[in-house]
Amino acid sequence: MAVDEALQQPLNFTGHRHLVSRLLLATLTGRPIRISQIRSSSTNPGLTRSETNFVRLLDAVTNGGQVQFSMTGTTLVYRPGLITGSAEGLGAHGGVIRHEIPRECSRRGVSWWLIPLCILAPFAKDKVNVILHGEGCVTSSTPSGDVSADTVRTAILPLYKSFGIERNIELRILRRSCTPGMGKSAGGEVQLVFNHQVRLPKTLHLLNPGRVKKIRGVAYCVEVPKSNNERMIFEARGILNKFVPDTYIFSDASPAPLIPSTQKNGPKVKGAVGFGLSLVAESSTGCLYSADVCSPPEGGVPADEIGKQCAYQLLEKISQGGAVESIAAPTVLMLMAMGSEDVGRVALGKDVLASEEIISLARDSKVFGGSGWGFRENGGDEERGEIVVSVVGRGVGNVGRKVA
């Protein structure tokens, strides 16, 4: 079999878009891929520092993979290995992998690394215990559209329960950080513990979004007065209480992380400061909708405005309908495609389904050997604008784990 894999021709893709999801599909299915013309017409061609750092993380949680870059970085050939997780002896800290995110990656939030890692974790041979840290580790939401680590913990990880994956899963925010300005560092730190590996995820049937019954959230501030949290909570509750009286938002104030100086024996430097709000609405059927807003690195936006923006963003997400929102949809659909060879169904809002990310995932899933997705109106109710997406699982499952 090893000889067959070595001879297997890589699947060809072009461009930098959807690079992470393609690397994930390659790792899960064991198919080698070749991605060419990565920003070839740009003034700064090739992979970004964030993308090469993500490839390093993939290499850390797998064994036997091969990665080749062209001289300019515009072509990547990836031959995946077995997903081993943080097996004893593989991590430098005895079963814990410490992965550093450098300062050049601070435009992206830590969720950009966490969400793909969570997708791989159930298919690992052993438990996954990874600490992401460094000057580029941003735990808040970012202007580039990445959600905060709080939203990953409260709005994405609970969805794994629907696939029969629910034991010993934890995301700890050890040091909070916000998006830094030019020349500054973030210095955040998060730990993902994912100790529930399965042979195959269960088939999902999620068709009824239900009605929103409660809203929970976290208002956080880093090295700024705690009164900012109170102002965000006051504004958000003022809008949301009219719709859902059961609204509770926690407050978390923390100091800025200290970052070692670049000079020898120099004083430690404080990381970026700021504040933000993460909200999650839960429906009567267990469906989740989230919103995430953080103060921009250049400042100038009052806490009241952040609270107001986040509340309206949450209402907009709920109005899109569907049983899964836009942030979590790629995770859910990918797990459905990897599950047992049965038809899973999920109701999505039309705006969610029409996003570029979901359309690309549907095409790529077929290229990697999956079947085409089926679509139909949800019960003929056109006003709600929901589409039922039917996905046949590939039965790929976890090759490293022989029993469920």
Side-chain angles (χ1 to χ4, degrees), residues 5 16 32 39 109 118 122-123 135 146 189 201 218 234 241 256 263 266 297 307 318 346 351 374 385 404:
E5 285 180 3
H16 67 280
R39 298 185 183 87
C118 291
F123 302 96
E135 294 186 39
D146 297 316
E189 189 170 337
V218 178
F234 180 79
N241 275 2
Q263 300 169 354
I318 296 168
V346 64
D351 290 341

Side-chain angles (χ1 to χ4, degrees), residues 50-249:
S50 304
E51 289 162 350
T52 53
N53 189 268
F54 177 76
V55 173
R56 277 187 53 235
L57 178 61
L58 268 185
D59 190 50
V61 296
T62 60
N63 189 22
Q66 294 178 339
V67 186
Q68 294 173 308
F69 301 101
S70 65
M71 289 291 286
T72 55
T74 54
T75 301
L76 163 69
V77 178
Y78 173 63
R79 294 183 180 276
L82 185 69
I83 308 166
T84 49
S86 308
E88 201 73 40
L90 289 174
H93 298 265
V96 180
I97 294 172
R98 285 186 66 86
H99 182 78
E100 185 179 356
I101 302 173
R103 182 194 282 190
E104 296 83 359
C105 303
S106 60
R107 285 186 61 197
R108 307 242 48 150
V110 72
S111 61
W112 190 74
W113 285 263
L114 279 174
I115 294 171
L117 193 58
C118 291
I119 294 173
L120 291 178
F123 302 96
K125 189 175 182 180
D126 202 352
K127 66 180 182 180
V128 172
N129 192 339
V130 176
I131 294 176
L132 298 169
H133 68 103
E135 294 186 39
C137 184
V138 179
T139 64
S140 70
S141 56
T142 65
S144 60
D146 297 316
V147 297
S148 67
D150 293 280
T151 296
V152 177
R153 179 170 53 82
T154 56
I156 294 179
L157 286 182
L159 296 171
Y160 283 77
K161 189 176 181 180
S162 305
F163 294 95
I165 306 164
E166 55 184 310
R167 288 182 285 105
N168 304 324
I169 301 172
E170 193 177 358
L171 177 60
R172 304 168 188 149
I173 302 171
L174 306 177
R175 285 195 292 180
R176 285 192 178 276
S177 60
C178 293
T179 309
M182 288 292 290
K184 294 203 169 187
S185 303
E189 189 170 337
V190 297
Q191 182 176 15
L192 176 68
V193 180
F194 210 113
N195 293 352
H196 190 171
Q197 282 70 43
V198 292
R199 180 74 186 91
L200 280 167
K202 285 182 182 174
T203 305
L204 182 73
H205 296 283
L206 201 56
L207 302 177
N208 181 14
R211 297 179 72 85
V212 172
K213 62 175 184 177
K214 68 177 182 181
I215 294 172
R216 296 290 180 266
V218 178
Y220 54 87
C221 60
V222 180
E223 200 70 24
V224 295
K226 197 175 179 181
S227 59
N228 286 293
N229 282 359
E230 292 155 11
R231 287 163 61 192
M232 286 188 290
I233 292 169
F234 180 79
E235 283 293 333
R237 287 196 60 166
I239 295 166
L240 297 171
N241 275 2
K242 299 170 192 171
F243 303 99
V244 185
D246 185 6
T247 301
Y248 189 84
I249 303 171

